Amino acid sequence: MTTAQRLMRFPEERVLEDAAFGHGIVPRRLHALLLPVWQVEIRADVTEGEDFFLIDRFLGRGLRHGGLHTVDELATFFALDGTLVAQAVRFLTAIGHVRESGGRLSLTPLGQRSVDDDIRYVVTHQDRRKLYFEALSCTPLTRAHYDEEVVTLLSGDRLSQVTRNDHYPRFTPLHVTSGFDRSALDRLKNRKDRVRFNLPVALDALESLDEQLVFLPVYLVRGQKGLLVYGQAGAGIAHDPELSEICSRAPELTHSFDIEEKEDGADDRVQRAAQDWLRKQKFTSVAPEQDDDGTWSVSLPATAFGGNGLPVTRIGTYRMVGSCFFRVWCPAETPRKRALLDRLDQRLGSRQQVSRQEAEELIARLARQLDLDIPDVSQLRGGARKTGLSGLEAQLTRLEKN
């Protein structure tokens, strides 16, 4: 297993397909990057928002709006066991929602706010936790980047292993020349979309205890008009809109790409690599072609696919050459139609649950990739039946009924 396969859950070729046919970008390069991220350990008084237990919600409302001030009054009004109410009141007292004075219960300001917002706020004093900010503009990372089972933030020995890798794609670290901007912590307080960025309801008495630079593996697809960043966070192959926007606004990054792409002689390398690939496949009469948009392709006859030839699923796919690539193509329509069915079978045939909208979006994307008219589900079901793709036929039958 290569370093890229260990770090990324999807191959570069699939990323290019998504960028080109899912987002309409004409790709020019795919860069494997290690994006710098500030890992900041903070200490703060943290207010978290949680769902109420049912009894706590009713007791809070009784104290706030019902003129009830004792355990007995609460138990009688809500027809609850007095022992149960006393236990719940002790809990609400422990988390700072209820206080007792002269034998009478009342809500604290935190308890009142919780009842009014219907959110159980809990304050933890001197809480320590880690926050993540991408280092190009000190913007906080979204909540999905905090899933340690999915996202790998590299430092130390692991970073050295990745950067010493001799196989493509070679992940290149981006370096920053300045330290962490601590004003980024102050800006957190004004964010309205706090949950999206894994932030609590409030951070008070906030201080930074430690700031370390770690690195997030990403693929960056640069096209003629814009770029897309694909990372580890989230499910499936999907670009990260926040990281894409950040990287597109980083002049040091786009400038270095401009210089590299002017000096790297990529066209010659792609052409040679495509010629070598054609020789290995014994297509000596075929030559690589550069399309009007600047991308390279090899166009093969229908006889090159199926049987003892190449799988038809190769049609319309990319083959990487460093940070560049060429595309395998077939001008004949029949193999492309079979490629559509086979790729749908790979993606849909074994899945138990997929919505009709998801399926239709995938069908449209694959049709664009294979330069075909977009078929409807019933047409595809008939094709799946004729070609013996029973799993795909069953899935399409189910979708037709929805």
PDB file of all heavy atoms in Angstrom, residues 181-202:
ATOM      1  N   ASP A 181      -1.433  33.578  14.694  1.00  0.00           N
ATOM      2  CA  ASP A 181      -2.048  34.880  14.976  1.00  0.00           C
ATOM      3  C   ASP A 181      -3.067  34.704  16.103  1.00  0.00           C
ATOM      4  O   ASP A 181      -4.167  34.187  15.888  1.00  0.00           O
ATOM      5  CB  ASP A 181      -2.723  35.407  13.715  1.00  0.00           C
ATOM      6  CG  ASP A 181      -3.410  36.741  13.940  1.00  0.00           C
ATOM      7  OD1 ASP A 181      -3.245  37.324  15.038  1.00  0.00           O
ATOM      8  OD2 ASP A 181      -4.115  37.201  13.022  1.00  0.00           O
ATOM      9  N   ARG A 182      -2.706  35.139  17.310  1.00  0.00           N
ATOM     10  CA  ARG A 182      -3.586  34.892  18.456  1.00  0.00           C
ATOM     11  C   ARG A 182      -4.889  35.677  18.405  1.00  0.00           C
ATOM     12  O   ARG A 182      -5.835  35.348  19.122  1.00  0.00           O
ATOM     13  CB  ARG A 182      -2.833  35.200  19.757  1.00  0.00           C
ATOM     14  CG  ARG A 182      -1.701  34.205  20.008  1.00  0.00           C
ATOM     15  CD  ARG A 182      -1.177  34.269  21.416  1.00  0.00           C
ATOM     16  NE  ARG A 182      -0.179  33.238  21.639  1.00  0.00           N
ATOM     17  CZ  ARG A 182       0.400  33.004  22.803  1.00  0.00           C
ATOM     18  NH1 ARG A 182       0.055  33.740  23.860  1.00  0.00           N
ATOM     19  NH2 ARG A 182       1.293  32.047  22.931  1.00  0.00           N
ATOM     20  N   SER A 183      -4.947  36.671  17.545  1.00  0.00           N
ATOM     21  CA  SER A 183      -6.227  37.369  17.394  1.00  0.00           C
ATOM     22  C   SER A 183      -7.286  36.452  16.779  1.00  0.00           C
ATOM     23  O   SER A 183      -8.484  36.730  16.881  1.00  0.00           O
ATOM     24  CB  SER A 183      -6.059  38.628  16.542  1.00  0.00           C
ATOM     25  OG  SER A 183      -5.710  38.291  15.203  1.00  0.00           O
ATOM     26  N   ALA A 184      -6.835  35.347  16.171  1.00  0.00           N
ATOM     27  CA  ALA A 184      -7.788  34.382  15.632  1.00  0.00           C
ATOM     28  C   ALA A 184      -8.638  33.783  16.747  1.00  0.00           C
ATOM     29  O   ALA A 184      -9.797  33.419  16.522  1.00  0.00           O
ATOM     30  CB  ALA A 184      -7.051  33.281  14.880  1.00  0.00           C
ATOM     31  N   LEU A 185      -8.083  33.681  17.952  1.00  0.00           N
ATOM     32  CA  LEU A 185      -8.857  33.179  19.085  1.00  0.00           C
ATOM     33  C   LEU A 185      -9.967  34.154  19.467  1.00  0.00           C
ATOM     34  O   LEU A 185     -11.089  33.753  19.792  1.00  0.00           O
ATOM     35  CB  LEU A 185      -7.934  32.935  20.282  1.00  0.00           C
ATOM     36  CG  LEU A 185      -6.893  31.812  20.124  1.00  0.00           C
ATOM     37  CD1 LEU A 185      -5.972  31.778  21.332  1.00  0.00           C
ATOM     38  CD2 LEU A 185      -7.577  30.463  19.931  1.00  0.00           C
ATOM     39  N   ASP A 186      -9.644  35.448  19.434  1.00  0.00           N
ATOM     40  CA  ASP A 186     -10.667  36.454  19.760  1.00  0.00           C
ATOM     41  C   ASP A 186     -11.794  36.442  18.729  1.00  0.00           C
ATOM     42  O   ASP A 186     -12.964  36.657  19.068  1.00  0.00           O
ATOM     43  CB  ASP A 186     -10.035  37.845  19.824  1.00  0.00           C
ATOM     44  CG  ASP A 186      -9.026  37.970  20.961  1.00  0.00           C
ATOM     45  OD1 ASP A 186      -9.243  37.321  21.999  1.00  0.00           O
ATOM     46  OD2 ASP A 186      -8.034  38.697  20.797  1.00  0.00           O
ATOM     47  N   ARG A 187     -11.435  36.176  17.467  1.00  0.00           N
ATOM     48  CA  ARG A 187     -12.457  36.185  16.415  1.00  0.00           C
ATOM     49  C   ARG A 187     -13.443  35.022  16.556  1.00  0.00           C
ATOM     50  O   ARG A 187     -14.545  35.070  16.016  1.00  0.00           O
ATOM     51  CB  ARG A 187     -11.792  36.142  15.034  1.00  0.00           C
ATOM     52  CG  ARG A 187     -11.016  37.416  14.694  1.00  0.00           C
ATOM     53  CD  ARG A 187     -10.689  37.482  13.210  1.00  0.00           C
ATOM     54  NE  ARG A 187      -9.742  36.456  12.801  1.00  0.00           N
ATOM     55  CZ  ARG A 187      -8.421  36.608  12.822  1.00  0.00           C
ATOM     56  NH1 ARG A 187      -7.879  37.746  13.261  1.00  0.00           N
ATOM     57  NH2 ARG A 187      -7.627  35.642  12.406  1.00  0.00           N
ATOM     58  N   LEU A 188     -13.038  33.991  17.281  1.00  0.00           N
ATOM     59  CA  LEU A 188     -13.942  32.862  17.481  1.00  0.00           C
ATOM     60  C   LEU A 188     -15.227  33.286  18.184  1.00  0.00           C
ATOM     61  O   LEU A 188     -16.298  32.739  17.950  1.00  0.00           O
ATOM     62  CB  LEU A 188     -13.258  31.766  18.312  1.00  0.00           C
ATOM     63  CG  LEU A 188     -12.055  31.057  17.694  1.00  0.00           C
ATOM     64  CD1 LEU A 188     -11.519  30.029  18.682  1.00  0.00           C
ATOM     65  CD2 LEU A 188     -12.420  30.395  16.384  1.00  0.00           C
ATOM     66  N   LYS A 189     -15.114  34.267  19.086  1.00  0.00           N
ATOM     67  CA  LYS A 189     -16.269  34.669  19.902  1.00  0.00           C
ATOM     68  C   LYS A 189     -17.395  35.266  19.068  1.00  0.00           C
ATOM     69  O   LYS A 189     -18.547  35.267  19.500  1.00  0.00           O
ATOM     70  CB  LYS A 189     -15.813  35.682  20.959  1.00  0.00           C
ATOM     71  CG  LYS A 189     -14.742  35.137  21.903  1.00  0.00           C
ATOM     72  CD  LYS A 189     -14.248  36.216  22.851  1.00  0.00           C
ATOM     73  CE  LYS A 189     -13.140  35.699  23.752  1.00  0.00           C
ATOM     74  NZ  LYS A 189     -12.627  36.752  24.664  1.00  0.00           N
ATOM     75  N   ASN A 190     -17.050  35.770  17.883  1.00  0.00           N
ATOM     76  CA  ASN A 190     -18.056  36.441  17.065  1.00  0.00           C
ATOM     77  C   ASN A 190     -18.675  35.541  15.997  1.00  0.00           C
ATOM     78  O   ASN A 190     -19.541  35.980  15.251  1.00  0.00           O
ATOM     79  CB  ASN A 190     -17.429  37.661  16.383  1.00  0.00           C
ATOM     80  CG  ASN A 190     -16.928  38.678  17.399  1.00  0.00           C
ATOM     81  OD1 ASN A 190     -17.569  38.905  18.421  1.00  0.00           O
ATOM     82  ND2 ASN A 190     -15.775  39.272  17.120  1.00  0.00           N
ATOM     83  N   ARG A 191     -18.219  34.291  15.925  1.00  0.00           N
ATOM     84  CA  ARG A 191     -18.738  33.402  14.890  1.00  0.00           C
ATOM     85  C   ARG A 191     -20.168  32.977  15.223  1.00  0.00           C
ATOM     86  O   ARG A 191     -20.469  32.609  16.349  1.00  0.00           O
ATOM     87  CB  ARG A 191     -17.864  32.160  14.741  1.00  0.00           C
ATOM     88  CG  ARG A 191     -16.446  32.434  14.259  1.00  0.00           C
ATOM     89  CD  ARG A 191     -15.865  31.193  13.612  1.00  0.00           C
ATOM     90  NE  ARG A 191     -16.463  30.971  12.320  1.00  0.00           N
ATOM     91  CZ  ARG A 191     -15.852  31.248  11.156  1.00  0.00           C
ATOM     92  NH1 ARG A 191     -14.649  31.777  11.165  1.00  0.00           N
ATOM     93  NH2 ARG A 191     -16.456  30.999  10.016  1.00  0.00           N
ATOM     94  N   LYS A 192     -21.022  32.996  14.226  1.00  0.00           N
ATOM     95  CA  LYS A 192     -22.399  32.557  14.410  1.00  0.00           C
ATOM     96  C   LYS A 192     -22.551  31.056  14.135  1.00  0.00           C
ATOM     97  O   LYS A 192     -23.427  30.403  14.695  1.00  0.00           O
ATOM     98  CB  LYS A 192     -23.331  33.334  13.473  1.00  0.00           C
ATOM     99  CG  LYS A 192     -23.263  34.849  13.646  1.00  0.00           C
ATOM    100  CD  LYS A 192     -23.650  35.265  15.065  1.00  0.00           C
ATOM    101  CE  LYS A 192     -23.638  36.785  15.190  1.00  0.00           C
ATOM    102  NZ  LYS A 192     -23.910  37.218  16.583  1.00  0.00           N
ATOM    103  N   ASP A 193     -21.700  30.522  13.244  1.00  0.00           N
ATOM    104  CA  ASP A 193     -21.778  29.106  12.855  1.00  0.00           C
ATOM    105  C   ASP A 193     -20.830  28.267  13.708  1.00  0.00           C
ATOM    106  O   ASP A 193     -19.992  27.534  13.196  1.00  0.00           O
ATOM    107  CB  ASP A 193     -21.459  28.944  11.371  1.00  0.00           C
ATOM    108  CG  ASP A 193     -20.191  29.679  10.957  1.00  0.00           C
ATOM    109  OD1 ASP A 193     -19.607  30.397  11.803  1.00  0.00           O
ATOM    110  OD2 ASP A 193     -19.786  29.541   9.795  1.00  0.00           O
ATOM    111  N   ARG A 194     -20.976  28.382  15.022  1.00  0.00           N
ATOM    112  CA  ARG A 194     -20.019  27.787  15.940  1.00  0.00           C
ATOM    113  C   ARG A 194     -19.990  26.260  15.860  1.00  0.00           C
ATOM    114  O   ARG A 194     -18.925  25.651  15.902  1.00  0.00           O
ATOM    115  CB  ARG A 194     -20.328  28.240  17.372  1.00  0.00           C
ATOM    116  CG  ARG A 194     -20.483  29.742  17.527  1.00  0.00           C
ATOM    117  CD  ARG A 194     -20.838  30.127  18.951  1.00  0.00           C
ATOM    118  NE  ARG A 194     -19.725  29.919  19.839  1.00  0.00           N
ATOM    119  CZ  ARG A 194     -18.719  30.768  20.003  1.00  0.00           C
ATOM    120  NH1 ARG A 194     -18.723  31.901  19.320  1.00  0.00           N
ATOM    121  NH2 ARG A 194     -17.744  30.522  20.825  1.00  0.00           N
ATOM    122  N   VAL A 195     -21.144  25.645  15.735  1.00  0.00           N
ATOM    123  CA  VAL A 195     -21.192  24.183  15.723  1.00  0.00           C
ATOM    124  C   VAL A 195     -20.417  23.623  14.541  1.00  0.00           C
ATOM    125  O   VAL A 195     -19.713  22.619  14.639  1.00  0.00           O
ATOM    126  CB  VAL A 195     -22.655  23.694  15.685  1.00  0.00           C
ATOM    127  CG1 VAL A 195     -22.713  22.182  15.511  1.00  0.00           C
ATOM    128  CG2 VAL A 195     -23.368  24.098  16.968  1.00  0.00           C
ATOM    129  N   ARG A 196     -20.510  24.287  13.405  1.00  0.00           N
ATOM    130  CA  ARG A 196     -19.806  23.827  12.200  1.00  0.00           C
ATOM    131  C   ARG A 196     -18.310  23.764  12.405  1.00  0.00           C
ATOM    132  O   ARG A 196     -17.617  22.978  11.768  1.00  0.00           O
ATOM    133  CB  ARG A 196     -20.105  24.785  11.036  1.00  0.00           C
ATOM    134  CG  ARG A 196     -21.004  24.160  10.015  1.00  0.00           C
ATOM    135  CD  ARG A 196     -21.166  25.025   8.791  1.00  0.00           C
ATOM    136  NE  ARG A 196     -20.462  24.450   7.671  1.00  0.00           N
ATOM    137  CZ  ARG A 196     -19.490  25.037   7.017  1.00  0.00           C
ATOM    138  NH1 ARG A 196     -19.083  26.215   7.355  1.00  0.00           N
ATOM    139  NH2 ARG A 196     -18.926  24.453   5.999  1.00  0.00           N
ATOM    140  N   PHE A 197     -17.805  24.605  13.279  1.00  0.00           N
ATOM    141  CA  PHE A 197     -16.359  24.685  13.491  1.00  0.00           C
ATOM    142  C   PHE A 197     -15.941  24.064  14.823  1.00  0.00           C
ATOM    143  O   PHE A 197     -14.882  24.384  15.356  1.00  0.00           O
ATOM    144  CB  PHE A 197     -15.890  26.144  13.387  1.00  0.00           C
ATOM    145  CG  PHE A 197     -15.984  26.678  11.984  1.00  0.00           C
ATOM    146  CD1 PHE A 197     -17.138  27.303  11.545  1.00  0.00           C
ATOM    147  CD2 PHE A 197     -14.944  26.509  11.090  1.00  0.00           C
ATOM    148  CE1 PHE A 197     -17.250  27.772  10.244  1.00  0.00           C
ATOM    149  CE2 PHE A 197     -15.039  26.972   9.786  1.00  0.00           C
ATOM    150  CZ  PHE A 197     -16.191  27.611   9.359  1.00  0.00           C
ATOM    151  N   ASN A 198     -16.785  23.177  15.350  1.00  0.00           N
ATOM    152  CA  ASN A 198     -16.474  22.428  16.566  1.00  0.00           C
ATOM    153  C   ASN A 198     -16.215  23.343  17.755  1.00  0.00           C
ATOM    154  O   ASN A 198     -15.393  23.040  18.619  1.00  0.00           O
ATOM    155  CB  ASN A 198     -15.252  21.518  16.344  1.00  0.00           C
ATOM    156  CG  ASN A 198     -15.224  20.349  17.301  1.00  0.00           C
ATOM    157  OD1 ASN A 198     -16.229  19.670  17.491  1.00  0.00           O
ATOM    158  ND2 ASN A 198     -14.089  20.101  17.925  1.00  0.00           N
ATOM    159  N   LEU A 199     -16.929  24.451  17.789  1.00  0.00           N
ATOM    160  CA  LEU A 199     -16.750  25.412  18.870  1.00  0.00           C
ATOM    161  C   LEU A 199     -17.912  25.308  19.848  1.00  0.00           C
ATOM    162  O   LEU A 199     -19.052  25.078  19.450  1.00  0.00           O
ATOM    163  CB  LEU A 199     -16.687  26.837  18.309  1.00  0.00           C
ATOM    164  CG  LEU A 199     -15.530  27.124  17.354  1.00  0.00           C
ATOM    165  CD1 LEU A 199     -15.695  28.503  16.735  1.00  0.00           C
ATOM    166  CD2 LEU A 199     -14.187  27.012  18.068  1.00  0.00           C
ATOM    167  N   PRO A 200     -17.658  25.485  21.143  1.00  0.00           N
ATOM    168  CA  PRO A 200     -18.739  25.465  22.131  1.00  0.00           C
ATOM    169  C   PRO A 200     -19.587  26.729  22.038  1.00  0.00           C
ATOM    170  O   PRO A 200     -19.290  27.650  21.261  1.00  0.00           O
ATOM    171  CB  PRO A 200     -17.994  25.383  23.461  1.00  0.00           C
ATOM    172  CG  PRO A 200     -16.674  26.038  23.187  1.00  0.00           C
ATOM    173  CD  PRO A 200     -16.336  25.698  21.760  1.00  0.00           C
ATOM    174  N   VAL A 201     -20.625  26.777  22.863  1.00  0.00           N
ATOM    175  CA  VAL A 201     -21.507  27.943  22.873  1.00  0.00           C
ATOM    176  C   VAL A 201     -20.741  29.204  23.238  1.00  0.00           C
ATOM    177  O   VAL A 201     -20.964  30.272  22.676  1.00  0.00           O
ATOM    178  CB  VAL A 201     -22.671  27.713  23.853  1.00  0.00           C
ATOM    179  CG1 VAL A 201     -23.512  28.975  24.010  1.00  0.00           C
ATOM    180  CG2 VAL A 201     -23.539  26.548  23.373  1.00  0.00           C
ATOM    181  N   ALA A 202     -19.821  29.087  24.189  1.00  0.00           N
ATOM    182  CA  ALA A 202     -19.048  30.263  24.616  1.00  0.00           C
ATOM    183  C   ALA A 202     -17.678  29.813  25.104  1.00  0.00           C
ATOM    184  O   ALA A 202     -17.512  28.714  25.645  1.00  0.00           O
ATOM    185  CB  ALA A 202     -19.776  31.022  25.717  1.00  0.00           C
TER     186      ALA A 202
END
